[in-house]
Amino acid sequence: MEKLNPIIIDLPKVTDPRGNLTFAEGDGLVPFDIKRAYWVYDVPAGESRGGHAHKRLKQLVVALSGSFHVTLDNGFERRTILLNHPWQALLIETNVWRTLDDFSSGAVCMVLASEHYDADDYIEDYDEFLAYVKANRK
């Protein structure tokens, strides 16, 4: 059983009196080639996002504005991480169930993905996820 070990990546933060700048790019800073970017915003109070896992896709999740919690579950253990700094990114590996919730007002979540959208890569039923993880255990 592989231990769930969330990785927070500190992205470069260029401080300037006119405002700070943070960036993400491939070639070492992001641990995969970025094939897709999307962002989630205007999440109503009490709602959650995610609620699925990916077989091949890896993600880097950033709270561009505001804050939210990300709960990661590898089928054996669960961890919750607060994202609230736009220069910090949470790496989500394959075969990890993720749920995003407790969005603050005005929160913006950006996701950088290692693959293009593919509906067949999603596991959207938690019991199916548990069976998949147990069948593919390292």
Side-chain angles (χ1 to χ4, degrees):
M1 161 177 43
E2 192 168 314
K3 188 155 178 65
L4 184 61
N5 189 22
I7 297 173
I8 297 287
I9 297 172
D10 285 328
L11 300 171
K13 180 179 177 184
V14 181
T15 304
D16 187 295
R18 302 167 296 162
N20 298 330
L21 181 144
T22 292
F23 60 91
E25 58 188 27
D27 297 329
L29 186 57
V30 173
F32 52 77
D33 290 333
I34 301 166
K35 299 233 176 107
R36 184 168 169 243
Y38 62 92
W39 39 101
V40 177
Y41 53 95
D42 293 341
V43 177
E47 292 297 322
S48 66
R49 300 291 307 209
H52 62 267
H54 291 282
K55 300 171 193 169
R56 294 178 305 279
L57 179 130
K58 296 180 182 184
Q59 295 177 315
L60 208 57
V61 179
V62 181
L64 291 181
S65 179
S67 65
F68 51 89
H69 286 97
V70 181
T71 300
L72 304 177
D73 179 339
N74 67 359
F76 303 98
E77 65 179 306
R78 193 175 282 181
R79 294 257 183 99
T80 299
I81 297 96
L82 171 66
L83 290 181
N84 62 352
H85 299 298
W87 65 87
Q88 291 186 324
L90 174 64
L91 176 62
I92 303 178
E93 295 285 350
T94 59
N95 304 324
V96 174
W97 190 270
R98 80 282 326 270
T99 305
L100 288 70
D101 57 16
D102 296 328
F103 285 81
S104 68
S105 177
V108 178
C109 168
M110 181 185 69
V111 179
L112 303 177
S114 66
E115 306 296 328
H116 296 286
Y117 175 78
D118 177 3
D120 292 333
D121 185 53
Y122 283 71
I123 305 172
E124 297 183 288
D125 178 89
Y126 188 72
D127 289 333
E128 286 179 31
F129 164 71
L130 291 177
Y132 181 84
V133 167
K134 289 177 182 159
N136 293 287
R137 198 182 317 186
K138 294 179 183 178

